Amino acid sequence: MEEFKLLIVILLSAVFVDNYVLCRFLGICPFLGVSKKFDQASGMGIAVTVVMLLATAVTWPIQHFVLNTLNMGYLQNIVFILIIATLVQILEMLLKKLSPSLYKGLGVYLPLITTNCAVLGVTINNIIDGYSFIESMASTLGCGLGFLLAMVLFSGLRSRINEANIPTPFRGLAVTLIAASFISLAFMGFGGIVENIFG
């Protein structure tokens, strides 16, 4: 029961308290670039979540059973980037075959998942935090869901901004960054809530 409680705390903390986009500011490129339309934002969020889960499932054992065993931990970044790039290429081929509309909608941002620092960040932070494999997967699922939530919320907000009468100096990127900062402030309000609920 305690292990399950810990997994819930890790998952909820990753979604709300330590949201990779809104609190750690990782993955800002797709957050700002693909959040104009709900379909693209949700598609990108799901794609990033899948890549995060696959990357963690592959990198955690490689770190613990290969790199650490051979005293080659200094190769972590290079190995993890190669693994993530391979997974993104596989996902890109699958999306092109199974969902051409989503593939076209994501456009150049799909290959950019390779360089999305949130994906690399979650795999490295799971190692740094000393999580077990199951805890790493719970943390990664939470990070992915948090990324998806941030993308969907921001796409809704941007659709409202597009309909609003905004003063000329604030149009474009300025109002987008202001709106992102408001969502980030809202998420920072979750700090401590998860720990207080679950003790």
Side-chain angles (χ1 to χ4, degrees):
M1 186 63 182
E2 285 298 317
E3 180 67 24
F4 181 73
K5 193 175 174 182
L6 177 63
L7 292 177
I8 295 295
V9 169
I10 290 171
L11 179 82
L12 292 178
S13 293
V15 174
F16 297 108
V17 181
D18 292 324
N19 188 290
Y20 266 55
V21 179
L22 300 173
C23 296
R24 293 192 183 205
F25 307 111
L26 296 173
I28 296 294
C29 267
F31 178 69
L32 295 175
V34 193
S35 59
K36 292 178 183 175
K37 295 180 182 175
F38 174 79
D39 295 346
Q40 292 178 1
S42 58
M44 176 58 90
I46 291 167
V48 167
T49 302
V50 168
V51 171
M52 280 182 174
L53 287 167
L54 291 173
T56 298
V58 174
T59 57
W60 193 93
I62 286 177
Q63 176 70 40
H64 287 280
F65 300 121
V66 178
L67 297 179
N68 288 351
T69 304
L70 299 173
N71 292 322
M72 295 171 62
Y74 57 89
L75 291 176
Q76 180 188 64
N77 288 354
I78 296 169
V79 171
F80 284 16
I81 288 170
L82 289 173
I83 290 168
I84 292 166
T86 303
L87 292 172
V88 170
Q89 289 301 312
I90 292 169
L91 182 66
E92 189 175 356
M93 288 186 289
L94 287 173
L95 278 180
K96 191 173 184 179
K97 182 124 179 134
L98 302 174
S99 180
S101 59
L102 180 58
Y103 175 78
K104 284 182 183 177
L106 292 176
V108 71
Y109 293 102
L110 186 58
L112 287 178
I113 295 175
T114 304
T115 58
N116 185 342
C117 52
V119 178
L120 181 62
V122 76
T123 57
I124 291 175
N125 284 331
N126 285 333
I127 304 297
I128 291 171
D129 292 340
Y131 287 151
S132 68
F133 182 76
I134 300 297
E135 291 168 351
S136 294
M137 293 304 288
S139 171
T140 302
L141 178 61
C143 293
L145 293 175
F147 185 85
L148 174 62
L149 178 64
M151 292 289 289
V152 168
L153 286 175
F154 198 53
S155 72
L157 187 59
R158 285 185 81 172
S159 68
R160 296 296 299 267
I161 288 171
N162 291 339
E163 297 170 3
N165 185 16
I166 298 168
T168 307
F170 292 104
R171 289 184 186 157
L173 184 60
V175 73
T176 302
L177 292 175
I178 291 168
S181 67
F182 285 147
I183 291 180
S184 180
L185 284 171
F187 267 71
M188 288 186 177
F190 287 116
I193 291 177
V194 175
E195 289 83 359
N196 287 337
I197 291 173
F198 290 96

